[in-house]
Amino acid sequence: MRGILATGTVVLVILGIGNHLWWLAAVALLYLYATHGRGSPRPTSPGTLPDNYRAYRDRRDRQARWERRYRRERPFEARRQEREKTS
């Protein structure tokens, strides 16, 4: 994919010597590739997590905090719900 993109960009730049519209086409091709055309997700460094997992982890942690708060503020209701779950 990258080889085809590079070849296409070079051809468009060479054609653009006489016509500026080809330059614009080359820029548009590079822009589309940079925003939509990458086949694999962006590489992450060893210490970072992908955005979709980070969002999942944030939702999970937020839900866990809410559940702990609910159990702390409503102990009788939480115990009743636990009993209903087990029966």
Side-chain angles (χ1 to χ4, degrees), residues 39-54:
S40 61
R42 63 187 163 102
T44 58
S45 60
T48 62
L49 300 171
D51 289 337
N52 55 355
Y53 180 72
R54 182 175 292 128

Side-chain angles (χ1 to χ4, degrees), residues 11-31:
V11 167
L12 289 174
V13 167
I14 290 171
L15 289 173
I17 291 173
N19 187 350
H20 296 293
L21 290 177
W22 291 111
W23 281 95
L24 292 175
V27 170
L29 182 66
L30 289 173
Y31 174 76

